[in-house]
Amino acid sequence: MTQHTSDSTTASNQKVALAFSGGLDTTVCVPLLKEEYGYDEVIGVTVDVGQPKAEFAEAEETAEALGLEHYVVDAKEEFAELCLDSVKANATYQGYPLGTAMARPVIAKAILSVAEEQGCTGIAHGCTGKGNDQLRFEAVWRDSSLEVIAPVRELGLTRKWEKEYADEKGLPVEGGNEGDWSIDTNLWSRSVEGKNLEDPSYIPPEDIYEWTDAPTGETTTIEITFENGYPVAVDGESYEPVELIEYLNEFAGAYGVGRTDMMEDRMLGLKVRENYEHPAATVLLEAHEGLEQLVFTKEERDFKPQVENQWAQKAYEGLVDAPLMKSLDAYIDQSQTKVTGTVTVKLQGGMVRVVSRESDFAVYSESAASFNTETVDGIEQEDATGVAKYHGFQSRLANSVAKQAETEPELPADD
Ligand code: ARG
């Protein structure tokens, strides 16, 4: 373990707020914040972004065993709204619907509020120095006057050292999160990584999946209603954001929908193998894009992916408050004023496919597309003749010029 060089080692009567999950990393941080950083008091904060109930029980129990003052903040609604905003942006990062990424700033802000309310002078997380989360947390926290502390990274801790230290100190680290995989779950996605899953050639066993059943031959359809790009109803029934996501996770997960096994380029440049489950995200993203296909002009369809790509990049970086994001959101919101309608998707073999879409804003004219009508808005079929004559004109010209140059005899060399 390397000695850190924090200027707070001399702090007295100082309080620090710790992002607390009750797992090994954050549990060892509790005594270390006192021993190594000189804080007198540590408070733990767990933010609810839709983790399973068992995780809160684990955090509660561990906090109690540690004698840690523990706060739980419910941020599910705020997070669900951000997730549905990401649908308007058709946002994925390299194919990943950004669940962990989008949750981090929400969690970071909630912890910062508690820290400020409780008069803390420091704020800490248990992230390592290899991942994205340290950057996402700190991007929010470094905008405050609190001392930002990352004990695991700053003290160079390893899991092995943490286990020995916990044993030595008699810290409550039994049970929870000691399984084979490192898992991060929230409303939008469940991420599974670590151990042999890190090997890109290792085929994941079926038991890493909890939200999705192995796809079978069974199929079904489901209808999603959007208002201004925002999903508001499923099969004609209205849902609030949290409930809508929960319902779709369960419904589509039963059909094996929403598994991603991918190579992911982290912010620090590391390429890692990741596995995700996100049934609701898959259904909503597919359906939403299907509706945009109907109501957007070609120019809008060509342009929006550029905005979406930037949106997803910033969301991946945890920079949802970047000024660029506000500009992108303004474009996206404007574009969504006609993304109202219903889309039916078919769930089949673990896949989602749009099979029907309807909207009052459809840029679609049956008479224009049909083979059975002669004129459209006073335009006759034969009016296309001129266009057809011009089409490809420049290519034909360029090719013939090139051909001529090839066949022309070379000029005699000057001497
Ligand atoms: N790689 C993802 C991200 O950076 C998710 C990481 C989740 N963490 C975990 N321990 N499973 O957003």
Side-chain angles (χ1 to χ4, degrees), residues 96 100-101 132 136 182-184 191-193 264 274 276 316:
Y96 151 51
T100 298
N132 294 321
R136 297 169 180 150
S182 165
I183 293 168
D184 183 67
S191 141
V192 192
E193 60 183 27
E264 180 175 314
E274 294 280 358
Y276 296 104
Y316 186 72

Side-chain angles (χ1 to χ4, degrees), residues 135-204:
L135 306 179
R136 297 169 180 150
F137 277 123
E138 292 181 36
V140 174
W141 292 350
R142 289 187 186 280
D143 200 20
S144 77
S145 58
L146 302 193
E147 184 195 18
V148 176
I149 309 167
V152 176
R153 179 183 74 206
E154 289 160 8
L155 303 173
L157 308 188
T158 61
R159 299 283 290 181
K160 187 170 165 282
W161 185 91
E162 289 176 5
K163 276 183 194 144
E164 283 167 16
Y165 175 79
D167 278 349
E168 209 176 282
K169 292 255 158 189
L171 301 178
V173 290
E174 277 75 52
N177 246 345
E178 291 300 293
D180 279 345
W181 329 109
S182 165
I183 293 168
D184 183 67
T185 311
N186 59 47
L187 261 185
W188 202 234
S189 65
R190 180 173 175 273
S191 141
V192 192
E193 60 183 27
K195 289 225 170 159
N196 31 9
L197 277 180
E198 281 169 2
D199 175 356
S201 71
Y202 175 74
I203 300 177

Side-chain angles (χ1 to χ4, degrees), residues 73-394:
V73 184
D74 184 351
K76 280 209 295 292
E77 238 167 82
E78 185 191 342
F79 180 54
E81 281 164 18
L82 180 57
C83 295
L84 298 189
D85 281 342
S86 81
V87 173
K88 293 196 280 187
N90 294 325
T92 61
Y93 172 79
Q94 299 183 333
Y96 151 51
L98 297 159
T100 298
M102 293 191 295
R104 293 315 182 216
V106 173
I107 294 171
K109 282 182 219 169
I111 296 172
L112 182 58
S113 295
V114 175
E116 283 171 342
E117 273 161 33
Q118 298 304 316
C120 293
T121 52
I123 190 160
H125 62 70
C127 306
T128 69
K130 290 191 175 177
N132 294 321
D133 289 340
Q134 50 174 343
L135 306 179
R136 297 169 180 150
F137 277 123
E138 292 181 36
V140 174
W141 292 350
R142 289 187 186 280
D143 200 20
S144 77
S145 58
L146 302 193
E147 184 195 18
V148 176
I149 309 167
V152 176
R153 179 183 74 206
E154 289 160 8
L155 303 173
L157 308 188
T158 61
R159 299 283 290 181
K160 187 170 165 282
W161 185 91
E162 289 176 5
K163 276 183 194 144
E164 283 167 16
Y165 175 79
D167 278 349
E168 209 176 282
K169 292 255 158 189
L171 301 178
V173 290
E174 277 75 52
N177 246 345
E178 291 300 293
D180 279 345
W181 329 109
S182 165
I183 293 168
D184 183 67
T185 311
N186 59 47
L187 261 185
W188 202 234
S189 65
R190 180 173 175 273
S191 141
V192 192
E193 60 183 27
K195 289 225 170 159
N196 31 9
L197 277 180
E198 281 169 2
D199 175 356
S201 71
Y202 175 74
I203 300 177
E206 195 55 33
D207 70 9
I208 68 162
Y209 302 109
E210 248 173 44
W211 284 11
T212 54
D213 293 336
T216 63
E218 240 181 285
T219 74
T220 191
T221 56
I222 187 165
E223 185 191 273
I224 315 286
T225 306
F226 291 89
E227 256 169 41
N228 301 321
Y230 215 75
V232 291
V234 177
D235 286 335
E237 204 167 313
S238 304
Y239 286 88
E240 291 300 314
V242 174
E243 286 71 36
L244 183 123
I245 295 168
E246 283 174 347
Y247 176 74
L248 284 178
N249 272 334
E250 199 160 324
F251 186 89
Y255 290 85
V257 164
R259 291 181 175 183
T260 301
D261 180 338
M262 65 182 286
M263 297 309 299
E264 180 175 314
D265 293 294
R266 283 191 190 157
M267 280 185 258
L268 292 176
L270 286 177
K271 193 183 279 295
V272 289
R273 197 271 187 89
E274 294 280 358
N275 275 278
Y276 296 104
E277 293 180 283
H278 39 75
T282 301
V283 168
L284 291 172
L285 289 165
E286 197 66 27
H288 178 264
E289 215 266 320
L291 186 54
E292 286 188 340
Q293 289 179 10
L294 181 67
V295 301
F296 275 2
T297 60
K298 173 176 154 50
E299 291 94 321
E300 289 172 299
R301 289 180 67 181
D302 286 347
F303 179 71
K304 187 159 171 273
Q306 298 180 49
V307 174
E308 293 167 355
N309 190 33
Q310 293 297 315
W311 198 100
Q313 280 291 338
K314 288 289 135 201
Y316 186 72
E317 292 165 16
L319 301 177
V320 288
D321 291 325
L324 175 64
M325 266 321 227
K326 296 197 175 73
S327 303
L328 299 175
D329 277 332
Y331 177 80
I332 291 168
D333 283 341
Q334 170 58 33
S335 76
Q336 300 299 292
T337 52
K338 52 198 171 182
V339 186
T340 294
T342 55
V343 177
T344 303
V345 292
K346 188 168 195 164
L347 314 185
Q348 181 172 35
M351 307 297 277
V352 181
R353 202 157 46 86
V354 173
V355 289
S356 158
R357 64 293 269 164
E358 278 176 300
S359 170
D360 290 345
F361 299 95
V363 186
Y364 171 76
S365 150
E366 196 176 341
S367 60
S370 166
F371 295 110
N372 293 321
T373 39
E374 284 270 294
T375 58
V376 184
D377 282 342
I379 305 169
E380 310 285 336
Q381 257 202 72
E382 66 199 35
D383 289 335
T385 307
V387 179
K389 284 182 178 168
Y390 267 110
H391 186 63
F393 167 74
Q394 199 170 63

Side-chain angles (χ1 to χ4, degrees), residues 52-81:
K53 299 262 175 299
E55 285 189 24
F56 295 101
E58 188 199 345
E60 286 292 352
E61 274 165 37
T62 313
E64 212 176 298
L66 285 165
L68 177 72
E69 196 176 315
H70 185 221
Y71 296 80
V72 177
V73 184
D74 184 351
K76 280 209 295 292
E77 238 167 82
E78 185 191 342
F79 180 54
E81 281 164 18

